Amino acid sequence: MTVPRARVVTLNAALGSLDYRVPTGMTLQPGSVVVAPLGPRQLIGVAWDPERLPAKEVGDNRLRPLIAALDVPPIPAPLRRLCEWTADYYLSPLAAVLRMVLPSSAALDGPRQLIEYAPTGQPPERLTPQREKALTAIAGRQGTVRELASAAGVSDAVMRGLVHAGALGRVLVDADRPLPQPHPDHAPPDLTGEQREAATSLARGVGKGFDPVLLDGVTGSGKTEVYFEAVAEALRQHRQVLVLLPEIALTEPFLKRFEARFGCAPVAWHSDLRSSQRRRAWRGIAHGEAKVVVGARSALFLPYPELGLIVVDEAHEPSFKQEDGVHYHARDVAVMRAMFEDIPIVLSSATPAIESRHMVEVGRYREVTLAHRFAGASMPEMRAIDLTRDPPPRGRWLAPSLVAEIETNLERGEQSLLFLNRRGFAPLTLCRHCGHRFQCPNCTAWMVEHRLMHRLACHHCGHVMPPPSACPECGEEDSLVPCGPGVERIADEVAELFPEARTSIVTSDTIWSPARAAEFVSAMEAGEIDIVVGTQLVTKGYHFPNLTLVGVVDADLGLAGGDLRAAERSFQQIQQVGGRAGRGDKPGRVLVQSHDPQAPVIAALISGDAAGFYAAETEARREAAMPPFGRLAAIVVSAEAAVEAEDVARRIGHAVPSVDDMAVFGPAPAPLAMLRGRHRQRLLVHAARALDVQDVIREWLAGVEWSSKVQVSVDVDPYSFL
């Protein structure tokens, strides 16, 4: 008699798929989440379609029985196909992809209870203004300490103080209590004719199968309100919706806009969630109860059983590309998930990537455009400041003409934004006596001075050190000088020029969570900030009607280096940050500081010739057979010992197969030759679009052996060339 068996993919990437015996009384289907034995250990895994995965033949008498089938819905078939495709395309173990499907072990447990708090009606003996504010805000509410603190706009410590004072009492609740349900007709927007036409076009595609759409709208055109109508249609059809955002800092402003439209916040998914919140969200998603999910790229792999629509907001953003682990691009994988689910997907952007534009040109995506700003707002006036003719005073970074415009804005009571995509105070610190430069001990990168936090930091590995009082090389006291500006240095200059102005620095160092982003948004909307100094974090998603001036401190910064997307990325960033200006009824101005205003990128921005810029960039890519007209893949070899990395890279280089329409460059030391204490060698594969480069690389690397001390990773369609 044949023993019933299951083919299981565990979350251990080294194991591959394994066969197990299904015990009597256990019911399984492909996608069931199981507990499997391996030696003395117990591993979480997923029962897979046996015909789709190879496994070592094991006799029935040698099969070990599965321990348990967990009480969670099975992983849907379209998601299993997506996992297989992602593993195959990005040359990653299936288990590594599956870990993104099952990221929360707590979510796999049975029913749980958690502790929440509610007002007891008993006032605390010491009623501080913060406590009074909190009690007023949460009257009639119940939630965790974090949830109540967020609702009241106070710190967690204030809420814990109210618990200790007896003003808040404990309440035991079901951890999987019902999630609030958005209503598609809660507050329909008043759309313009152009917006209504676009919204109707998007909503019409819901429920009609796979339909990839590029929503191309200028900054301030109301793209979010337009795709919300497609979200509403999916809700009417009782389907789930996934909205991907590139930064978790954008989540909080989005949640507020969503709540105003649909009557409640969507379910959020990002790295800032606590374990209990991740459990509640995952189980709500897996049971189909979470109707709308907004999150970072990892939300793409969650098990939605009734997915009806995917939206990728700011779809051009490079942060959708995962740079470690599975090197996937969330925009591209989202399109594949929509195809496997047979549903529409909307890629929303004011500056679409060349890859997305090309898909429209060849007819694979349809395009919906919004050419005008909402409510009659005009696009901002953009002009260049030639720093060779209008240079800042020595030791400063803002040109006199930009300073004059900021002063004018302050007099008018309007807000200004200064953009520099460089965190910290200065990118390099050196000794004026001996020339010593502070370099990270783990990476080939300079230590960046962060004066606000009184430290030098490596932005690649996170190594930090206090700024020394003397040069470690020559011992000279007070000889260290910062070189170049970061946002903190620009903020210092602003404080010197405009001591009465209220300034805010907005970077990932200051806005590290949705809650911090919400505080910043509230302060801007309340007019409590006059001048914002920020990095790329402020280039997208924010809407401040009183912000009328944007100054780009160094437009040349992103044009250096060998990145094939450098010009495109600079154009997108400056266009996006410029789009923050003049979004209300007041006109906006954008001043772009550059040492070369005639450079094609700067000239296209000033003239407003986006079509000409993209046409020239696309043609240059076509001539060089670069993406989307060719294929790239990076092979990075790393080891703690430089000689080991060099040896393996050399042997991989010697084993390059002879394949038509494929060239391999390297091996050579990577531009970032050491990262996190590991020496790095790099090979770059350039191939024709039609070549199945994954199969070539898979077979090529299979013929080379290396020790466990050496890591070899493959990045298909790389965005980082470091």
Side-chain angles (χ1 to χ4, degrees), residues 518-681:
E519 292 173 12
F520 164 65
V521 170
S522 297
M524 282 290 287
E525 291 175 345
E528 297 169 1
I529 298 172
D530 299 314
I531 302 172
V532 177
V533 184
T535 60
Q536 55 85 26
L537 206 60
V538 296
T539 64
K540 49 194 173 283
Y542 294 115
H543 176 78
F544 303 126
N546 199 41
L547 197 159
T548 58
L549 174 65
V550 169
V552 179
V553 177
D554 186 355
D556 309 324
L557 183 62
L559 297 175
D563 187 340
L564 76 95
R565 296 181 178 87
E568 179 190 16
R569 195 169 297 157
S570 291
F571 185 92
Q572 290 169 334
Q573 276 191 343
I574 296 172
Q575 186 93 317
Q576 287 279 347
V577 74
R580 300 312 103 196
R583 294 170 72 94
D585 54 4
K586 301 173 184 176
R589 299 105 67 212
V590 181
L591 275 65
V592 181
Q593 295 192 157
S594 171
H595 287 91
D596 184 14
Q598 302 309 312
V601 175
I602 310 300
L605 284 162
I606 301 307
S607 66
D609 186 17
F613 169 78
Y614 277 110
E617 278 293 300
T618 302
E619 189 54 37
R621 298 255 196 108
R622 193 191 311 271
E623 289 179 4
M626 286 293 175
F629 308 102
R631 304 288 303 279
L632 290 177
I635 301 174
V636 177
V637 182
S638 68
E640 291 184 3
V643 65
E644 291 182 332
E646 291 166 5
D647 174 63
V648 173
R650 194 179 302 113
R651 288 193 283 116
I652 291 174
H654 288 158
V656 172
S658 178
V659 177
D660 290 341
D661 299 324
M662 185 182 91
V664 178
F665 305 98
L672 198 58
M674 190 164 76
L675 178 65
R676 302 184 185 96
R678 298 182 68 87
H679 297 269
R680 304 168 77 239
Q681 293 278 319

Side-chain angles (χ1 to χ4, degrees), residues 326-599:
V326 182
H327 293 264
Y328 69 96
H329 196 300
R331 179 196 65 213
D332 300 339
V333 179
V335 173
M336 293 306 299
R337 177 146 199 188
M339 188 186 77
F340 287 122
E341 299 275 1
D342 197 27
I343 61 172
I345 178 170
V346 177
L347 306 180
S348 175
S349 176
T351 52
I354 287 176
E355 288 84 352
S356 299
R357 292 174 182 270
H358 177 66
M359 295 299 272
V360 171
E361 289 175 7
V362 299
R364 294 187 182 177
Y365 296 176
R366 67 185 178 96
E367 185 176 28
V368 173
T369 59
L370 293 168
H372 304 94
R373 281 190 155 184
F374 179 69
S378 58
M379 293 300 291
E381 172 200 357
M382 191 174 289
R383 61 186 175 89
I385 296 176
D386 187 342
L387 293 177
T388 64
R389 297 183 178 181
D390 185 16
R394 184 176 177 83
R396 291 199 168 168
W397 313 97
L398 303 179
S401 53
L402 176 54
V403 171
E405 291 287 347
I406 297 172
E407 191 167 10
T408 300
N409 247 34
L410 289 170
E411 291 170 356
R412 292 175 179 172
E414 296 172 6
Q415 294 166 316
S416 304
L417 164 62
L418 296 175
F419 168 69
L420 176 64
N421 202 28
R422 185 185 276 155
R423 291 161 51 205
F425 185 86
L428 172 64
T429 299
L430 59 76
C431 173
R432 67 162 67 92
H433 185 257
C434 72
H436 173 72
R437 301 181 179 193
F438 284 81
Q439 183 170 323
C440 175
N442 307 315
C443 309
T444 46
W446 307 122
M447 297 290 283
V448 178
E449 181 182 2
H450 286 253
R451 195 161 287 187
L452 289 177
M453 293 178 281
H454 306 290
R455 69 187 189 191
L456 299 176
C458 174
H459 289 173
H460 297 283
C461 73
H463 176 77
V464 295
M465 60 181 284
S469 58
C471 174
E473 190 73 18
C474 69
E476 187 75 15
E477 294 277 347
D478 300 322
S479 63
L480 305 182
V481 292
C483 297
V487 287
E488 293 177 15
R489 197 168 194 178
I490 300 301
D492 277 6
E493 183 175 340
V494 168
E496 291 177 16
L497 291 167
F498 310 107
E500 301 301 318
R502 297 162 298 177
T503 304
S504 177
I505 299 174
V506 178
T507 73
S508 57
D509 300 310
T510 60
I511 307 291
W512 63 81
S513 70
R516 294 284 294 181
E519 292 173 12
F520 164 65
V521 170
S522 297
M524 282 290 287
E525 291 175 345
E528 297 169 1
I529 298 172
D530 299 314
I531 302 172
V532 177
V533 184
T535 60
Q536 55 85 26
L537 206 60
V538 296
T539 64
K540 49 194 173 283
Y542 294 115
H543 176 78
F544 303 126
N546 199 41
L547 197 159
T548 58
L549 174 65
V550 169
V552 179
V553 177
D554 186 355
D556 309 324
L557 183 62
L559 297 175
D563 187 340
L564 76 95
R565 296 181 178 87
E568 179 190 16
R569 195 169 297 157
S570 291
F571 185 92
Q572 290 169 334
Q573 276 191 343
I574 296 172
Q575 186 93 317
Q576 287 279 347
V577 74
R580 300 312 103 196
R583 294 170 72 94
D585 54 4
K586 301 173 184 176
R589 299 105 67 212
V590 181
L591 275 65
V592 181
Q593 295 192 157
S594 171
H595 287 91
D596 184 14
Q598 302 309 312

